[in-house]
Amino acid sequence: LAFESPWEHAEALITVEREGTLSVQRRRVEAGGQVVRIRVTDAMVPNVFVGVTLVRPRAGPPEEDVDLNAPDLRFGVAELHVTPSTSSLAVTLELEGTARPGTAVPVTVQVHDASGAPVRGEVALWAVDEGTLRLTGYQAPDPLTGLFRPQPAAFAWEDLRRELVSRVAVPPMPEASGDGNEGESQQQHVDDRESFDPTPLWAPRLLTDEQGRATATIELPERPTEYRVMAVVVDAGARSGRASAQLVAEQPIVVRPAFPQFLTAGDPFEASAFVHNATEEPL
């Protein structure tokens, strides 16, 4: 932790707090930059607030107009994000890269620890239409952000001298981040002329076996498109990992007509079509 003292001599109180006070340091500081080392512990996960209070006694006799020598103080607070001291899990997805629409595609999730040993854990596995995900730039979430949610600052700062002689204004405390919608629900209009399900697979509570494997089946809709298959894994020790893979649903042969958009009775025209072979073999 680094901060600057504006005074030649001052008393500094450095606190680490959240629901309560985790640590307190008190020291004399000189003018200029100061560096304080804070030991990070498991009690600080996922975040804590580090506050620095500087107090300066009277520096000289009172002045008539503006008493610049009066006792004064400064206060600042910063949020420190702390991740748990756990290793990540290696997650792999095993599935065919292409399949026909309307078929069933098996998916296997394999989980190992840092040493390569299989891990028993809980798996959330889902597949979503890639076009839908690209609208928002969606990425599979980090499990740690859900397991260890940041906590707001549950403390207040006050000093009687501030009411008497100080000109300091208390800076606003950092608040825990939310979803940004201020608790308001947003209604969306859905055009139901066509049944469109962008998520053909949602399996949020799969369990891996002794070999670290979990399986599921994707029932593909009857339409060609591309899907992103995603898996997020956590175990009892708060270790986590994630992986994603692409799955293309396509027909082996795709025929697209190339007819004129407008015709008048009696017009001759050439009826043509484009034929695409989606496989690597001649058809």
Side-chain angles (χ1 to χ4, degrees), residues 69-277:
N69 295 323
D72 207 346
L73 56 88
R74 297 289 187 271
F75 173 74
V77 62
E79 184 177 8
L80 178 63
H81 296 274
V82 182
T83 58
S85 57
T86 58
S87 60
S88 60
L89 299 176
V91 183
T92 56
L93 290 171
E94 301 173 4
L95 73 159
E96 295 291 336
T98 59
R100 289 194 180 190
T103 60
V105 179
V107 182
T108 300
V109 182
Q110 181 70 63
V111 184
H112 295 92
D113 60 14
S115 63
V119 174
R120 303 198 69 167
E122 185 172 346
V123 181
L125 179 65
W126 69 106
V128 184
D129 184 280
E130 182 65 40
T132 303
L133 298 177
R134 289 176 181 173
L135 292 175
T136 58
Y138 178 85
Q139 298 295 329
D142 184 357
L144 292 181
T145 60
L147 294 176
F148 303 96
R149 300 185 64 84
Q151 301 297 318
F155 62 91
W157 177 89
E158 188 55 80
D159 191 297
L160 181 61
R161 288 167 294 187
R162 185 174 67 90
E163 300 292 338
L164 299 177
V165 297
S166 179
R167 301 176 301 277
V168 69
V170 180
M173 299 295 182
E175 297 181 356
S177 60
D179 57 6
N181 65 359
E182 302 298 333
E184 299 178 358
S185 61
Q186 298 182 2
Q187 297 182 355
Q188 298 180 354
H189 173 71
V190 179
D191 190 347
D192 57 0
R193 289 176 298 176
E194 178 183 356
S195 177
F196 173 70
D197 183 9
T199 309
L201 173 64
W202 171 243
R205 293 182 178 86
L206 297 177
L207 298 177
T208 59
D209 55 19
E210 295 181 354
Q211 286 73 41
R213 298 170 65 89
T215 59
T217 302
I218 305 176
E219 300 290 344
L220 294 178
E222 292 285 351
R223 60 185 180 84
T225 187
E226 183 178 0
Y227 296 95
R228 190 191 309 175
V229 184
M230 293 164 282
V232 171
V233 184
V234 295
D235 71 350
R239 295 180 300 178
S240 64
R242 53 183 170 173
S244 63
Q246 301 301 121
L247 171 61
V248 179
E250 60 182 3
Q251 298 287 0
I253 290 183
V254 179
V255 181
R256 292 196 299 269
F259 299 157
Q261 293 185 351
F262 303 98
L263 289 172
T264 303
D267 287 348
F269 71 95
E270 183 179 85
S272 60
F274 293 97
V275 181
H276 174 66
N277 179 7

Side-chain angles (χ1 to χ4, degrees), residues 27-38:
R27 63 172 62 185
R28 296 281 297 178
V29 296
E30 308 296 333
Q34 309 292 327
V35 177
V36 178
R37 296 187 178 275
I38 299 174

